[in-house]
Amino acid sequence: MTTTPAHTTESAELSAGSYWRASLALFAPGLVGILSLLPMMRTTAESIRAMPGGPDLPTPALQAVLLINPLVLLLAGVGVGTALAPRVGLRSHLAELVRGVRRRGRPIPTELARAMAAGALTGIALVVLDALSLPMMGGGVDDPSVLDVSRPRSLSMTLTGILYGGITEELISRWGLMSLVVWILWRVAQRGQDRPRPWIAWSGIVVAAVLFGAGHLGAVAAEVALTPLIVARTVALNSIGGVVFGWLFWRYSLESAMVAHAMVHVAFTLASWVLFLMSY
């Protein structure tokens, strides 16, 4: 298998109209992912309001405040990625479609089918690694089940994982952050010439994956007190997924990374159902 992507770097600058069309086309599904957080944000908002000295805001207003951070990250990811990704050979089929770019390559259904398989296998691997590492967390966790990725998951939780995780997080972490890291290294190490070398792409993949993993610490901290072991486990497990998604982005497209990420959440839910049925 080749270790370089099947597409090449675009040297032409994006026109203003092309840039905004592509940005809007990517921002719209990312916003849907953010809105899928609303049910979870309602619970969080009510918990914050119930705290001593909590803000005296209606729950819907507090939900809106909680959505500001992911919205800002989405705007940054879409804006940066749309400007830089094409320059370093990273692609989005949707962005290219609205820009009128036509490229030859592997049929999209075949590409996405492979991404689904990669995501499903990654999800299964993460379930196994999660189960093996959970007993190592020691006595710092009163209820270890809150860290178990195969714990019971509702359809709403799964849908949020597919939409926010599969779409919004990929726009932030891969389209925005990974493209930025690859572009910086490409400009510094290669002075913006030729296609980025594989080590540059892999540096972007790994950096984005680790930061993606670290980005999950806030959600974990809301459930348990962070210890060095819990931090290491959270970052490591999420980084494994991030490396797979980053490789798919580099090798194929942003949409491949999105599909694989979504399939990981589907695999988590299926694993939780299987374990639930086996307990009876």
Side-chain angles (χ1 to χ4, degrees), residues 34-81:
I34 288 178
L35 293 177
S36 75
L37 293 172
L38 282 172
M40 181 180 68
M41 289 299 186
R42 180 175 182 83
T43 302
T44 304
E46 290 173 347
S47 299
I48 293 174
R49 289 187 64 204
M51 294 171 61
D56 186 19
L57 288 173
T59 298
L62 192 51
Q63 284 178 278
V65 171
L66 292 172
L67 292 180
I68 290 175
N69 185 57
L71 182 60
V72 170
L73 291 175
L74 174 63
L75 286 168
V78 168
V80 170

Side-chain angles (χ1 to χ4, degrees), residues 102-265:
R102 296 290 183 268
R103 291 185 179 178
R104 294 183 178 180
R106 185 175 287 104
I108 293 178
T110 301
E111 174 189 318
L112 298 185
R114 293 183 178 184
M116 289 179 67
L121 291 173
T122 301
I124 293 170
L126 290 175
V127 167
V128 173
L129 293 172
D130 179 79
L132 293 174
S133 63
L134 191 57
M136 304 176 189
M137 294 302 100
V141 183
D142 295 329
D143 182 11
S145 66
V146 299
L147 298 177
D148 188 353
V149 299
S150 58
R151 66 188 183 276
R153 295 162 62 94
S154 65
L155 289 176
S156 174
M157 184 178 180
T158 304
L159 185 61
T160 298
I162 291 172
L163 295 177
Y164 182 77
I167 299 175
T168 310
E169 286 187 341
E170 288 307 303
L171 286 167
I172 295 169
S173 298
R174 249 57 64 181
W175 186 246
L177 180 58
M178 179 176 152
S179 296
L180 176 62
V181 174
V182 172
W183 180 82
I184 290 173
L185 292 176
W186 175 63
R187 293 288 296 179
V188 171
Q190 292 183 226
R191 298 185 179 182
Q193 301 298 313
D194 303 319
R195 182 166 52 192
R197 298 188 182 102
W199 74 264
I200 291 178
W202 275 108
S203 296
I205 290 170
V206 172
V207 169
V210 172
L211 292 177
F212 169 73
H216 288 76
L217 290 174
V220 174
E223 301 286 349
V224 299
L226 294 180
T227 66
L229 282 175
I230 290 175
V231 169
R233 176 180 181 272
T234 301
V235 174
L237 291 179
N238 283 286
S239 294
I240 291 171
V243 167
V244 174
F245 309 147
W247 182 82
L248 288 168
F249 176 33
W250 174 50
R251 185 67 182 85
Y252 300 113
S253 68
L254 174 66
E255 287 75 15
S256 287
M258 288 178 169
V259 167
H261 194 152
M263 282 302 300
V264 166
H265 287 279

